[in-house]
Amino acid sequence: MSRWSGHATLDIAGVGRIELQDGTRLVALTPDGRPANAGDGLAAQVARSVLAHDDTTLAADVGTPDVVTVAPGPPGDLTELGIDVDQTHQSVIVSGRYVVKLVSTWGAADRAARQLQALAAAGSPDIPAFRGHLDWEHPELGRSTVALMSDYVMDAEDGWTWAVNDVLAHLCEGAAEPTWPGQVGALTARLHTALAAAAVAASPKGGAALRARAFTALQCALEVTSGTAKPLLSHRISSLTAAIDSIPDDLRCPVFAGHGDLHVGQILRAAGRYWVVDLDGDPQLSTHQRDVPEPAARDLAHLLVSVDQVAAVVQRRAGGADPACVEWADHARAELLAAYTAELDAHGRLDLLDDRALAGLQSEQVVRELIYAAQFLPPWTYAGEGTLVARYPAAAGVEEEPWTPPAFAPT
């Protein structure tokens, strides 16, 4: 009989430890038991081990550690700097050139490790260079990634900053129309082309499973939304349902593990270049569900919805609802889709996209945004509302007050 009680410790060269608590939580601690922060040296030691492919300074009281090195490199001075944003996991900048992500939950980064390794093996230029990961082999839980390491992109901003600023400058200050929709569309196609090396044939009823999942999300959204979002959603059940029903049973495309949570916020920009990050998968799905192969249209639908959310954020920043923002989003979405398709064609992979599923998968994503806002981030609800109003007509005879975003307050 096993004597494991749900608690185990992975010592990191004596500078700290990663504790597995209650069989699921991973907690980075200093030798004296307080939470390890940037400057305590734990992330730097993980970086040293990964870069040198050296696990001799690591020891677990249950199971064994295993360092997986994808691309060795010089450790630098091993100084640590924290990243001051809300994070599911803890990320630390090491030596000013690497990012070490310390995972917070057993199994939560396994998918990302596999995806990043596959993209690195394919020579993808669209991710920050992936250096490797630290795994923990446990006799009862199996193997899981507890830390990931990639290059740090200096002075990068995510799309909720650069995309919004570009559109504000275009619509409010007369700057040229942003070109990023086409660049992001092409990037997404390259990402899919690389990841689809492991694609498999879709099941004969794959579309039916997608419809069922979308309808489950719609029902959940009806139950959890409140305030102004609830009537806006209720008034659009017919148009959302029609879109979901348009997903065909017979998907005419292979399926594979894509990004899983692709939106403009997952795309970094610095010095005119773009990189995609955070391949952990959809946080609203279970670990098992995130690993189910999907059509490329799922990522593409999520990305297109995020363009509409950029338009909603721009309207909030500009001080009110503006049809010009919706018109920009129409054009940007078309440009993104055209660039995506052209890039797939250039790689000989037009077979990856069955665009018949796009409308229904976008509807699913819109309601998932409302669920996420209701459960985790209520101030974000307005972005989902703006997308609903822009894309889905209310039922005939319904009277509504015109949608307007909440007042913008800088933070």
Side-chain angles (χ1 to χ4, degrees), residues 116 119-120 122-130 153 183-195 259 262 266-269 272-279 343 347:
L116 289 168
L119 289 168
S124 172
D126 299 310
I127 58 169
F130 184 50
V153 182
Q183 292 168 286
V184 168
L187 177 154
T188 303
R190 292 193 298 271
L191 184 81
H192 283 168
T193 299
L195 292 175
H259 184 284
L262 189 60
Q266 307 285 35
I267 299 173
L268 304 182
R269 185 173 77 182
R273 279 197 60 190
Y274 297 85
W275 293 265
V276 65
V277 295
D278 291 341
L279 285 91
E343 189 73 12
H347 288 273

Side-chain angles (χ1 to χ4, degrees), residues 32 78 115 224 236 241 245 260 265 267 287 295 297-298 307 359 371 387:
D32 60 3
L78 296 176
Q115 297 294 79
V224 302
R236 287 162 175 79
T241 296
D245 273 334
I267 299 173
T287 300
R298 172 81 194 287
V307 172
I371 294 168
T387 303

